[in-house]
Structure formats: structure tokens, C-alpha cells
Amino acid sequence: MPTKDKDLTMNTHERGGPSIVAYLFALPPVIILLVYKVVPFITALILPFKEYELTKGVSGSAWVGMRNFSDLFNSPFFTKVLSNTVTLKLEYIFLCSISAFLIALILGFIGSKFWQRVFSTIFLLPYFMPAAVFIYLVLYAMSNAGMFFMYSTESLMDPETFRLIYPILEAIRNIGIPVIIALAAINGRRAVDNRGFLHTQLIPTLKSIGLFALIQLSTLLTMDYEFLSYLQNPTIYETADTLDTFVYRTALMNNEFGLASAIWLIKYAVQLVLSILIFFLIKRFFIKGVFPSQTKRAEGIRKRGSFVGVVLSFFVVQLYLLLTTAPLAVSVVEVFGDGSQISQASSDLLSGLPLHSSFTTYAIGITFAVLVNMVITILLAYPLTVKDLPGRLLYTIFLIIVLNMGMGGVHEYLFFRGKGMHNTILPYLITGFFTLANVFVIKAIYNTRYVSVEERTVKGVEGDPESFVKRYLPRVVKPILGLGALQFAFMWNSCYPGQLVYLADPNKFSPVMIFRNIIMGAQADVYGQLAFDVIKLGAAVSIPGIIMLLFIMILGGHEIFTAQIWKN
């Protein structure tokens, strides 16, 4: 419907067209980006051409020209880890995309949005669980190798078996993201189209899964380091060692910063080109098809579902639970069934750990970081929502360039170390300020769903403070709350890079990092006598993430999960 605000629907000539004042809103976060992202990035451009020494710093270290690249390309390890990275990534994308397509297509037959949310929440649960907890439960179930699992933990010692198991586990953990995006696309198309299965279900599902696969390809050389590290061991480096794990060992374990920086720069250059190409491809062919404008509802639309489809959906969910959750649940029940004896044997496991102070400190710290993140996202996204704003393309490319800088590079480590932030939680919180994928999600949601055709074509002025307050802010409150909840869950559940790289003092660890140290350390039999207390702790550290999931599902902002594709 036409806007009720006459000031916002005045002719462009009367109000002067789009206002470049929009860039003033983005200026404060851009300055922050320059300090914490661009300045370290300049170091990243220099480090590959130097033989870096910690005692001399970047400026004092000797120039070596292309030697680091020469050593890298002549190393048999580089070719192998590059091949492993691409292979594992493509296997994951293929497996996750095909599975998500079939599941979303089936769940799309359910006419009730309530039941859609219930089922999609089940598929999202593993993603909102810390990777450390998810992997621990999987390994515990595999260590008991009962009727549910074909493989035992010994299978993970075989390089070829690992290449099969890893993409399956990563797909199980992440499959809820493309599924819920596809369901949002189906429901969005049904609201404006009544032409049947092909147009309202099959095509939207194909486009949304294609969107997922394309964005995943833009991070072709990046794996989920934290998830991978829980399964990796030296006996399977032949197929499991990737660029991320290789860089971590090279830089932080062997202090070969120049070599690690050369790898990072190659990754950055390749993924930047891919990201720019894929961004324009998505903009041209996918966004409007995935998230259609709902300002004009199609006539004769009725919400209906197929009875056969609903029954089939129940079957698919039950099968998913049987193959994924049941082994974990049975294992947990077995542990708690003998809980009194096991707990007595492991009563000292959690004693002395700073769990209460850790929960409090990180809950407050992450909340602060998320609030800053939300403000930065709102301000950075505003110029992207202003139609025909001069310089918007250059601004978009700048954001894509910064987006691809990622986090956890050697240059960021040296930057925070140089600022005296090593062994503090500040790098962890500061890196949480920036989730530039959220900026593009806000832009896409606002431009395709929250602005009517009349508002964008009658041409009221855009970009001025009045438009920001009256039109823009009210319509991004809901998605920004959802993105904030996503960011909270992401930060709470993660240890890398903020803690694994920067923290050495166990008293400063987050609850998830404490859990990680228990299962990765030299504790006695964490899959046996200690399992009772380990699982209790795992359940406790998973609660905040699950609460965020429930909040997002109640909020109903399905499109916001697009932001998570860039992180996987």
C-alpha cells in the first residue's frame, strides 16, 4: 500500500533526490572498521614479503620479496592442504545442498507455519549447540558403537573414512540453515503467487538452495576451523589438513608468520574475486526470487497443505531424529542411568573451575558486543537501502572487501598483541563487533520486503535523517533483533579465534572454552567414568544458544539465517 507519510512520497525534484547524508550515518562505523580491520589488513599486505621476527616487529623485519610464496609453492604440503580444503568444502556443499533441498521440499507441503517452525527448529538445534558439545556427543556415541553407528572412533584414524565422515557431520550440524531459508522462500512466494507447486514450491526451493551453495562457494578456501579441529589428528593429515589448520600450526606453533601470511593473502585474493562475482550474480538472479516483495498479495491465495506431504514430513523428521539425535540421546540416557556411580567417581572434575564467574562475565561481555554489533549493522546498511544513491556501488565493494578480511588472521593477532590485548578477552569482544554479512542481510530484507513499490518509485527522498527515523528504523527492528540473537549464539558457542589464539589464562576462559579444555585435555576417560559430569556441563553451556534459537523462531525472521551462510 502507498505510504501514509506525505513528506516521504513527495516528488524527487521537490525534495532533491536521494540524500548523501546517508553516508554520515555510516561514517562512525566506517572509522571503527578502518581502525580494527583495515589497519591490520595493511599489515597483512606487507607480512608475506617479510621474514617477520617478533622482537623486531613489522617495520624492523627484513624484506624477502617473493621468497615466502616461492617456499609455499615449492612445498608439497601446500598442494595437499589446498586440495584437501577444496575437496572437503565441495563435498560438504554438495551433501548439505542436496539434503536441504529434499527436506525443504517435503516440509514445504505443510501448510501450518507453526508446524513448519517446530520441524525446522529440530533441524537447527545442532547448529545452536556449541561445536565442542556436538562433537563430544558424537564421539561418545561412536565410542560405544552400538546399533546406530556404522563407525567407531577408530574410524576417524583412517584418512579415507574421515573424508566421508566429516562432510556428513558438518552437513548434519548446518543443514537447518538452508532448510529454513528455503521454507521462508516458499512461504514468501505463496503469499504473492497462486500458480501451484512448480512456481510456489519447487522453483523457490531451487533458488534458495542455489543461494546457499553460491555463498558457500564464495568461501571456497575457508573451513570451519573449530569444528574440524575437534576431529583432526596427525594420523589423518593426509586428507584432513586444510589451509586453516595448516596456517594455525605454521604461524602460532612454529612462528612462521611470513609463510602463514602468504597463505592468508592467497585465500583472501581468491575469495574476494569469488565474492564480488557471486554478489552480483545473487543480486541479478536470486534475491528477488528468494525473498519476493509481499506488498501485493495474490488474489485467491489460500493456505493449504497436502495430507500426504504432512505425513511424509513427519516421516522425514523422525528419520532425521533416528539417524542423528537418537544415538546421542541413547548415549546420554545410558550415562545418566548409571549417574550416581559415575558422578561419585568423577566428583572432582568440575571442582575449582571458575564456571559461575565465567558465565557471568561472558554473558555480560557478549551482550555488550552484540549491542555494538547491532548499531554498527544498522548504520552501515542504511546507505545500501537508499535508491540511486551516488557512490553506492563503490561503498558496496568496500564492504565486500572488508567482509572477506574475515577474522583470525596472523595480522589481527599481531595487531591485538601490539595493542597489549594479548591474554585478555578484548580481542574476542572486538571481533564480535563486526558481522558485515548482517549488513547485506538487512539491506536485502529491507529492499525486497519492507518497502512498497510506491515508496521506491513515486520517489520520496531517501537518505536523510527523517527517512532514517520514520521509514528505515521501524522496519529493521525485527530483523536486527534476530541477527543480534544469532550473533550472541555464534559468539557464545565459539572459541576460535578470540580465545584459542589470544587467551592463555584458564581463569579467563568462557564456559565453552572450559568445556573444550576438558574434552581435549589429558583428563582421565571423559568418554567413560567422567561422561556424566561432562554431559551435564555440555548441557549447561548449550542453554544460552538454545534460548537464542527459540527467540529467533518466535520472532519469525527466517531470512536472517542468510547471514550464517557466510560463516559456515
Side-chain angles (χ1 to χ4, degrees):
M1 353 178 1
T3 179
K4 296 180 180 179
D5 190 335
K6 295 182 179 180
D7 290 335
L8 292 178
T9 55
M10 292 177 67
N11 185 273
T12 302
H13 297 291
E14 296 179 76
R15 294 292 301 273
S19 173
I20 61 173
V21 172
Y23 288 123
L24 294 179
F25 287 93
L27 184 59
V30 166
I31 292 174
I32 298 175
L33 285 176
L34 292 175
V35 173
Y36 289 105
K37 301 296 288 187
V38 177
V39 170
F41 177 69
I42 294 173
T43 302
L45 298 179
I46 298 173
L47 273 178
F49 306 98
K50 288 204 166 193
E51 186 176 359
Y52 181 79
E53 298 181 42
L54 278 173
T55 56
K56 295 182 179 179
V58 176
S59 59
S61 298
W63 287 93
V64 293
M66 299 295 292
R67 193 180 75 185
N68 286 320
F69 291 97
S70 177
D71 292 344
L72 189 62
F73 293 138
N74 290 328
S75 168
F77 298 107
F78 176 69
T79 304
K80 192 63 181 176
V81 297
L82 178 62
S83 173
N84 289 342
T85 303
V86 174
T87 300
L88 289 174
K89 188 75 171 188
L90 291 178
E91 286 178 349
Y92 158 68
I93 293 173
F94 175 79
L95 183 61
C96 195
S97 298
I98 294 297
S99 303
F101 171 77
L102 295 175
I103 292 171
L105 203 61
I106 293 171
L107 294 182
F109 284 108
I110 300 176
S112 167
K113 288 188 178 182
F114 170 79
W115 285 109
Q116 280 189 1
R117 289 184 185 180
V118 170
F119 290 144
S120 55
T121 300
I122 293 172
F123 287 102
L124 282 166
L125 275 173
Y127 184 83
F128 281 82
M129 182 186 300
V133 177
F134 177 81
I135 292 297
Y136 172 80
L137 292 176
V138 168
L139 293 179
Y140 181 84
M142 291 178 70
S143 68
N144 293 289
M147 60 177 288
F148 294 105
F149 273 87
M150 297 171 55
Y151 301 105
S152 65
T153 50
E154 286 75 17
S155 303
L156 294 174
M157 306 296 283
D158 178 62
E160 293 306 318
T161 305
F162 174 85
R163 180 165 281 175
L164 174 65
I165 293 176
Y166 176 79
I168 293 174
L169 291 179
E170 191 174 13
I172 289 173
R173 184 166 185 256
N174 296 325
I175 198 171
I177 302 296
V179 166
I180 200 168
I181 292 174
L183 288 176
I186 291 171
N187 292 329
R189 178 53 59 185
R190 281 177 176 167
V192 298
D193 199 334
N194 59 0
R195 289 181 292 172
F197 172 80
L198 176 64
H199 293 280
T200 63
Q201 198 158 327
L202 182 59
I203 292 178
T205 304
L206 282 171
K207 283 193 172 185
S208 57
I209 299 302
L211 174 69
F212 167 80
L214 279 175
I215 295 179
Q216 287 291 295
L217 284 173
S218 70
T219 57
L220 180 63
L221 301 183
T222 298
M223 300 294 295
D224 186 338
Y225 170 82
E226 188 172 345
F227 190 80
L228 182 61
S229 67
Y230 294 122
L231 297 169
Q232 198 181 64
N233 64 79
T235 65
I236 56 173
Y237 279 166
E238 178 185 346
T239 58
D241 203 11
T242 65
L243 290 172
D244 295 293
T245 55
F246 183 72
V247 165
Y248 183 83
R249 288 198 317 277
T250 301
L252 299 182
M253 308 300 287
N254 300 327
N255 291 328
E256 296 182 27
F257 295 101
L259 198 62
S261 297
I263 296 176
W264 185 91
L265 189 58
I266 292 171
K267 280 181 54 181
Y268 177 79
V270 172
Q271 293 184 163
L272 177 62
V273 173
L274 287 174
S275 294
I276 292 176
L277 292 175
I278 288 172
F279 172 79
F280 287 106
L281 186 62
I282 290 173
K283 182 179 179 181
R284 176 67 177 84
F285 296 105
F286 284 88
I287 286 295
K288 290 184 179 179
V290 174
F291 304 126
S293 173
Q294 295 186 11
T295 55
K296 292 184 177 180
R297 189 177 178 87
E299 295 181 3
I301 290 290
R302 292 180 57 193
K303 293 183 179 179
R304 59 185 184 274
S306 163
F307 175 75
V308 175
V310 173
V311 173
L312 188 58
S313 299
F314 273 96
F315 172 76
V316 168
V317 172
Q318 292 298 321
L319 181 63
Y320 173 82
L321 292 174
L322 177 66
L323 295 177
T324 59
T325 308
L328 309 183
V330 168
S331 301
V332 171
V333 169
E334 288 177 352
V335 171
F336 278 82
D338 196 24
S340 58
Q341 180 180 352
I342 294 174
S343 183
Q344 184 177 0
S346 59
S347 59
D348 294 332
L349 177 64
L350 304 182
S351 63
L353 295 176
L355 288 173
H356 183 271
S357 61
S358 178
F359 266 89
T360 303
T361 299
Y362 277 84
I364 295 173
I366 292 174
T367 299
F368 170 75
V370 168
L371 291 174
V372 174
N373 180 289
M374 291 165 64
V375 172
I376 287 176
T377 299
I378 289 173
L379 296 178
L380 286 176
Y382 184 50
L384 298 178
T385 66
V386 178
K387 184 177 176 62
D388 299 326
L389 181 67
R392 193 174 71 167
L393 178 60
L394 291 177
Y395 178 71
T396 300
I397 293 175
F398 165 76
L399 292 179
I400 294 175
I401 290 173
V402 178
L403 170 65
N404 276 271
M405 293 176 188
M407 58 183 181
V410 174
H411 54 286
E412 282 196 352
Y413 168 77
L414 295 176
F415 173 81
F416 286 119
R417 184 187 179 96
K419 299 298 181 183
M421 299 184 192
H422 189 65
N423 206 26
T424 73
I425 68 170
L426 289 177
Y428 172 78
L429 298 180
I430 291 173
T431 53
F433 291 170
F434 314 109
T435 313
L436 294 192
N438 292 356
V439 174
F440 291 100
V441 171
I442 289 292
K443 173 250 186 185
I445 293 174
Y446 180 83
N447 286 351
T448 60
R449 294 178 67 88
Y450 289 92
V451 180
S452 69
V453 174
E454 287 83 357
E455 284 180 321
R456 304 313 293 266
T457 57
V458 174
K459 295 3 181 261
V461 71
E462 295 180 296
D464 64 343
E466 184 180 7
S467 177
F468 178 85
V469 173
K470 289 187 176 181
R471 179 192 301 178
Y472 175 71
L473 274 183
R475 288 166 180 169
V476 299
V477 168
K478 184 177 178 180
I480 201 64
L481 286 175
L483 289 170
L486 268 176
Q487 181 67 3
F488 186 99
F490 176 76
M491 291 185 66
W492 180 270
N493 291 338
S494 300
C495 298
Y496 179 84
Q499 297 176 69
L500 276 176
V501 175
Y502 300 105
L503 285 181
D505 184 356
N507 293 316
K508 297 178 181 178
F509 287 168
S510 71
V512 174
M513 186 68 174
I514 291 173
F515 181 87
R516 178 191 184 277
N517 272 16
I518 290 175
I519 66 171
M520 298 289 286
Q523 301 287 345
D525 199 10
V526 293
Y527 298 102
Q529 284 191 322
L530 298 177
F532 180 78
D533 282 340
V534 172
I535 291 177
K536 283 198 302 183
L537 178 59
V541 301
S542 299
I543 289 175
I546 302 303
I547 291 175
M548 292 300 106
L549 168 61
L550 295 177
F551 173 75
I552 293 168
M553 298 309 292
I554 293 172
L555 200 64
H558 296 66
E559 304 96 328
I560 64 176
F561 285 98
T562 309
Q564 295 306 100
I565 303 177
W566 294 89
K567 298 177 182 177
N568 298 329

